[in-house]
């Protein structure tokens, strides 16, 4: 290829890079717009959590992408909020590009602690509880919904001042593995009751297996803390 043609081809290939390098600052994307878009995305996702969201987004260092007319924000990974969340910002037009910003997220809200020692097997009532405030996102096992603690059964001793965690409670209407249960079998024109031993744990509406006195394994739906309905 003649030298003039070669030089022309090289200049043509390098022209996008040269154009970007010569782009004035006013034609480059404002990082503040990226931060605002990331904050809006995280705030929207945090609205489904109980408590008050505290969000801090770190601006991108030395951001040199061209200005974008159509920005789209998304959460990286599985799309769930984490204390340290990566937020993606994607430009759809006119020049596609993608970058990621780091967000620090807290969900501050009330949670329950034991006002005195709660013994294993006891049903928790309102007098057993006091409230504290903390980051519910960092410890997702903390219980903040009173309907998920009052009337529930402690599965272990909970010391005075100790946080009430979901793993320390069970639904009073749930059946525990190994528990003796009543089975109700319903068919066309008949109802038969018997007893058996639960082979699984489950709350109302879930299906578990029950071993009958004869050794037969049947599958039924948990009705309450003592009853399993078996359809025939």
């Amino acid at each position: 290829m003649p030298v003039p043609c070669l030089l022309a081809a090289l200049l043509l290939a390098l022209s996008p890079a040269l154009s970007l390098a010569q782009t004035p600052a006013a034609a480059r994307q404002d990082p503040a717009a990226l931060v605002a878009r990331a904050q809006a995305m995280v705030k929207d996702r945090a609205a489904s959590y109980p408590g008050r969201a505290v969000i801090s987004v770190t601006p991108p260092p030395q951001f040199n992408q061209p200005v974008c007319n159509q920005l789209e924000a998304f959460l990286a990974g599985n799309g769930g909020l984490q204390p340290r969340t990566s937020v993606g910002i994607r430009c759809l037009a006119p020049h596609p590009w993608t970058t990621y910003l780091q967000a620090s997220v807290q969900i501050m809200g009330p949670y329950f602690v034991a006002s005195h020692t709660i013994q294993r097997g006891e049903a928790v009532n309102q007098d057993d509880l006091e409230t504290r405030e903390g980051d519910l996102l960092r410890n997702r096992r903390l219980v903040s919904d009173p309907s998920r603690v009052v009337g529930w059964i402690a599965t272990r001793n909970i010391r005075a001042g100790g946080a009430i965690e979901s793993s320390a409670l069970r639904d009073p209407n749930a059946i525990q593995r190994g528990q003796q249960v009543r089975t109700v079998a319903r068919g066309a024109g008949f109802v038969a009751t018997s007893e058996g031993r639960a082979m699984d744990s489950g709350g109302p509406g879930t299906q578990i297996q029950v071993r009958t006195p004869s050794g037969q394994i049947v599958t039924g739906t948990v009705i309450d803390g003592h009853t399993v309905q078996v359809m025939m």
Side-chain angles (χ1 to χ4, degrees):
M1 180 182 294
V3 173
C5 294
L6 180 60
L7 290 174
L10 287 173
L11 288 173
L12 182 62
L14 293 173
S15 60
L18 291 173
S19 176
L20 181 59
Q22 296 169 359
T23 301
R28 297 184 182 180
Q29 180 61 54
D30 181 4
L34 307 183
V35 171
R37 186 59 60 94
Q39 286 178 328
M41 158 63 74
V42 175
K43 183 179 180 180
D44 181 67
R45 293 297 179 88
S48 63
Y49 290 76
R52 172 177 53 88
V54 180
I55 304 164
S56 175
V57 178
T58 303
Q62 299 180 341
F63 194 76
N64 293 319
Q65 294 290 359
V67 67
C68 182
N69 297 331
Q70 190 174 354
L71 289 171
E72 179 183 72
F74 61 94
L75 293 184
N78 62 8
L81 286 183
Q82 302 294 334
R84 291 290 294 173
T85 295
S86 182
V87 184
I89 304 292
R90 181 186 296 121
C91 179
L92 302 180
H95 304 291
W97 48 259
T98 301
T99 190
Y100 293 88
L101 283 67
Q102 294 301 311
S104 173
V105 187
Q106 292 179 304
I107 305 293
M108 304 301 294
Y111 64 92
F112 293 108
V113 301
S115 60
H116 57 85
T117 299
I118 301 173
Q119 301 294 331
R120 176 182 178 183
E122 289 183 352
V124 180
N125 60 60
Q126 192 68 51
D127 293 337
D128 298 326
L129 305 173
E130 294 178 353
T131 57
R132 299 284 189 276
E133 183 170 287
D135 186 358
L136 304 180
L137 187 63
R138 186 168 294 277
N139 190 345
R140 299 171 190 266
R141 294 179 299 175
L142 296 176
V143 181
S144 59
D145 182 355
S147 68
R148 297 297 302 273
V149 59
V150 175
W152 286 50
I153 310 300
T155 58
R156 61 174 183 261
N157 293 343
I158 305 174
R159 63 178 177 80
I164 307 292
E165 298 184 344
S166 55
S167 59
L169 302 170
R170 68 173 177 85
D171 187 338
N173 293 315
I175 286 175
Q176 302 300 300
R177 180 179 180 180
Q179 177 183 335
Q180 194 76 10
V181 298
R182 183 173 72 104
T183 61
V184 179
R186 298 182 182 273
F190 76 91
V191 177
T193 62
S194 182
E195 292 186 348
R197 189 168 297 277
M199 300 183 65
D200 309 295
S201 298
T206 61
Q207 289 196 329
I208 65 171
Q209 290 188 318
V210 177
R211 184 187 299 276
T212 67
S214 66
Q216 180 184 5
I217 305 297
V218 297
T219 300
T221 302
V222 176
I223 302 301
D224 54 36
H226 305 283
T227 311
V228 177
Q229 180 173 289
V230 181
M231 300 303 295
M232 303 298 291

